[in-house]
Amino acid sequence: MIGKSELGEVLKLAVDTIRGNKLRSSLTVLGIVIGVTVVIGISSIVRGLNDNVSQVISSLGSNIVFAFHQEITFGRMTEEMRTRKNSPSTTPWR
């Protein structure tokens, strides 16, 4: 544990170091400010995009979206894919 006299000495040394290296200290503060600003900005943009996507989906009339995975193939469709019958619940978006 640091005593009061040691804490005072550490703080005095820290202040002297900051005063002695003004350019380094100001660049460090500038870097921290820019970093925090970027993190807050990106967080705000992502939250706004999420809200926008939620609003667009809810404006479609339902809050349920069905997503189906279908293998992506290049070339001819397989026999199974060509003969598959689509039920009304699995038809693509129209």
Side-chain angles (χ1 to χ4, degrees):
M1 188 89 183
I2 297 178
K4 284 188 175 184
S5 64
E6 291 175 354
L7 182 62
E9 185 178 336
V10 168
L11 289 175
K12 183 177 185 266
L13 181 64
V15 169
D16 289 341
T17 303
I18 290 172
R19 287 183 181 154
N21 298 311
K22 291 181 182 179
L23 179 62
R24 181 186 298 173
S25 300
S26 60
L27 288 175
T28 301
V29 169
L30 180 64
I32 291 170
V33 168
I34 290 173
V36 168
T37 303
V38 167
V39 168
I40 291 172
I42 289 176
S43 174
S44 299
I45 290 170
V46 168
R47 184 172 181 153
L49 288 173
N50 283 339
D51 291 345
N52 188 22
V53 168
S54 296
Q55 182 182 9
V56 167
I57 289 175
S58 66
S59 72
L60 294 175
S62 177
N63 60 355
I64 300 174
V65 175
F66 293 99
F68 297 95
H69 174 72
Q70 186 171 4
E71 192 174 317
I72 298 174
T73 58
F74 296 98
R76 294 183 148 185
M77 292 175 35
T78 63
E79 181 70 23
E80 178 189 353
M81 292 169 70
R82 284 189 281 129
T83 58
R84 180 183 300 155
K85 293 180 182 177
N86 289 333
S87 65
S89 64
T90 60
T91 55
W93 289 80
R94 295 176 199 223

